Amino acid sequence: MIWSYLYSIIFYTSCGITAVATLLMISRHNAVHALLYLIVSSLSLAIIFYLLGAAFAAALEVIVYAGAVMILFVFVVMMLNQGQRSAAQEQAWLPARGWIIPALLAAILFVLLLLGMSSDQPLQPYGVHGVAVKEVGVALFGPYVLVVELASFLLLSGLIGAFHIARKMPSHMDSSPLEEPDHG
Amino acid sequence: MDSQYIDHAMILAGLLFCLGLVGVMVRRNLLFMMISIEVMLNAAGLAFIAAGSAWGQPEGQIMFLAVITLGAAEVAVGLGLTLLLFRHHNNVNVDHLNLLRG
């Protein structure tokens, strides 16, 4: 019955939701709506990761993409819309038709999550080999410790670079080569 | 080690990558281009995870960690550049970045 097809149902529904959410995301005109679809896409991708036996990667996908990266995007969207038009924009941002479809997709994902949690046998079909967190950790800090070091370099340079690029220049030394006489 | 799920996850990864590529190519808003780049990185991560699950090896998830770190660093620097572009041009259209015309 339905339980024997449970894995297929959850897997293919998640695949469909990921594709639909991404397609809707790249066709939005409003940044906040696109971000809502990106969150749904990340969450359904996390379910796919979990079904492929990578529970650690699924947790990271939710924490880093649907959490941290999204916060960065939302902050920048807010900073890009200062001024007098921001209030009107705030109202225009989230009409019901803007969030009803992402909410619907997320509700389907929630149903899938409940379905997956309600099965008593592990969701692991033939041919998909799950990799536990312990194996990942042992390999990461054993033969692949260079990846950890490179990641630390990368994150530190990203932090310093973002701080340097995005800081506000004092007005008397604001003469970076990006500035051009206004013709547009 | 063959499994239809691995194959279909790979197909989904290709589809997501193409969608992200289309997003980068058709949008001129720097914010949307960065969101599309995130989608492409996600697709690469999905391909790594699927390959790791096909072989039962932890390397797939380790490479996914590397990809996700790269994505976080990229989005921090890229959004800083977006803020800089907005401060200088008062919009985030990449077509305004034409001072270096070759």
Short mmCIF file of all heavy atoms in Angstrom, two decimals, chain A residues 36 41 110 121 135:
data_model
loop_
_atom_site.label_atom_id
_atom_site.label_comp_id
_atom_site.label_asym_id
_atom_site.label_seq_id
_atom_site.Cartn_x
_atom_site.Cartn_y
_atom_site.Cartn_z
N LEU A 36 11.31 34.25 -0.43
CA LEU A 36 10.38 33.25 0.13
C LEU A 36 10.49 31.94 -0.65
O LEU A 36 10.55 30.85 -0.06
CB LEU A 36 8.94 33.77 0.07
CG LEU A 36 8.57 34.85 1.07
CD1 LEU A 36 7.14 35.29 0.83
CD2 LEU A 36 8.71 34.33 2.47
N SER A 41 12.64 26.35 -1.50
CA SER A 41 13.53 25.50 -2.29
C SER A 41 14.60 24.86 -1.41
O SER A 41 14.88 23.67 -1.53
CB SER A 41 14.15 26.35 -3.38
OG SER A 41 15.18 25.68 -4.01
N PHE A 110 5.65 20.13 4.98
CA PHE A 110 5.37 19.74 6.36
C PHE A 110 4.63 18.41 6.40
O PHE A 110 4.94 17.54 7.23
CB PHE A 110 4.55 20.84 7.04
CG PHE A 110 4.30 20.59 8.48
CD1 PHE A 110 5.35 20.53 9.38
CD2 PHE A 110 3.02 20.41 8.96
CE1 PHE A 110 5.14 20.28 10.71
CE2 PHE A 110 2.78 20.17 10.29
CZ PHE A 110 3.85 20.11 11.17
N GLN A 121 9.76 1.85 9.74
CA GLN A 121 11.02 1.31 9.23
C GLN A 121 11.84 2.46 8.64
O GLN A 121 11.28 3.47 8.22
CB GLN A 121 10.77 0.23 8.16
CG GLN A 121 10.20 0.71 6.85
CD GLN A 121 8.71 0.56 6.81
OE1 GLN A 121 8.02 0.89 7.77
NE2 GLN A 121 8.20 0.05 5.71
N GLU A 135 31.01 9.15 10.48
CA GLU A 135 31.95 8.90 9.37
C GLU A 135 32.42 10.21 8.76
O GLU A 135 33.60 10.38 8.44
CB GLU A 135 31.27 8.06 8.30
CG GLU A 135 30.93 6.65 8.71
CD GLU A 135 30.13 5.95 7.61
OE1 GLU A 135 30.67 5.80 6.52
OE2 GLU A 135 28.97 5.60 7.85
#
